[in-house]
């Protein structure tokens, strides 16, 4: 998968997730579904996921035999930055912890699943060569 194709699919995913985040509070008006700074969390995870994909993509293209190491490195880097974000966010804000955990990790898992799917498609095409 080329970088332009990933970027276009990525913007489609972001659009769908933004639409879902806007519609969910309208569907369930009596429940607080999103934390107060949901868009900060969303922007951070969207940005760090794109950066992690770029790092893995460049690692795969530079040395195809070490592609798996590039993928693992980008995932570990993303996880470290996400843990630092959670630590800083939890120190600076006093919000509902359970709601934050649900919001953060649902977005984290969605973005990571999409990233892994796209990266594994790149490896699959290299095995066919």
């Amino acid at each position: 998968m080329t970088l332009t194709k990933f970027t276009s699919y990525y913007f489609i995913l972001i659009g769908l997730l933004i639409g879902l985040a806007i519609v969910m509070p309208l569907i369930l008006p009596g429940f607080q579904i999103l934390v107060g700074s949901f868009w900060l969390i969303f922007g951070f995870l969207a940005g760090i996921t794109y950066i992690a994909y770029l790092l893995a993509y460049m690692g795969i293209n530079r040395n195809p035999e070490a592609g798996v190491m590039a993928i693992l490195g980008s995932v570990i880097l993303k996880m470290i930055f996400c843990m630092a974000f959670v630590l800083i966010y939890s120190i600076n804000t006093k919000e509902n912890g359970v709601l934050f955990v649900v919001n953060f990790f649902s977005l984290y898992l969605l973005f990571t699943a999409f990233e892994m799917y796209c990266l594994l498609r790149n490896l699959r095409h290299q095995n066919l060569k």
Side-chain angles (χ1 to χ4, degrees):
M1 178 179 293
T2 63
L3 192 58
T4 55
K5 195 172 186 179
F6 170 79
T7 304
S8 62
Y9 287 153
Y10 191 66
F11 283 129
I12 291 170
L13 174 72
I14 287 176
L16 289 173
L17 290 177
I18 288 173
L20 185 64
I22 292 172
V23 169
M24 285 300 289
L26 299 175
I27 293 174
L28 302 168
F31 298 104
Q32 182 181 3
I33 298 173
L34 305 176
V35 291
S37 54
F38 173 79
W39 298 110
L40 173 70
I41 298 167
F42 185 86
F44 173 77
L45 285 173
I48 198 73
T49 300
Y50 194 77
I51 291 169
Y53 181 84
L54 284 176
L55 291 173
Y57 183 78
M58 289 187 307
I60 291 171
N61 286 340
R62 184 170 296 152
N63 186 2
E65 294 163 359
V68 174
M69 294 302 288
I71 291 174
L72 288 175
S74 70
V75 169
I76 290 171
L77 187 68
K78 179 181 174 183
M79 190 178 350
I80 289 171
F81 276 108
C82 286
M83 286 190 301
F85 178 82
V86 168
L87 177 67
I88 293 168
Y89 184 85
S90 63
I91 289 172
N92 291 331
T93 60
K94 303 296 182 215
E95 291 185 358
N96 186 356
V98 174
L99 188 60
F100 170 73
V101 167
V102 169
N103 283 186
F104 184 84
F105 285 108
S106 62
L107 286 174
Y108 179 82
L109 289 174
L110 286 171
F111 280 121
T112 302
F114 179 76
E115 177 190 4
M116 286 299 108
Y117 174 75
C118 292
L119 285 170
L120 290 175
R121 284 191 55 178
N122 285 342
L123 290 178
R124 184 179 332 141
H125 291 301
Q126 285 183 356
N127 288 338
L128 296 176
K129 290 181 182 180

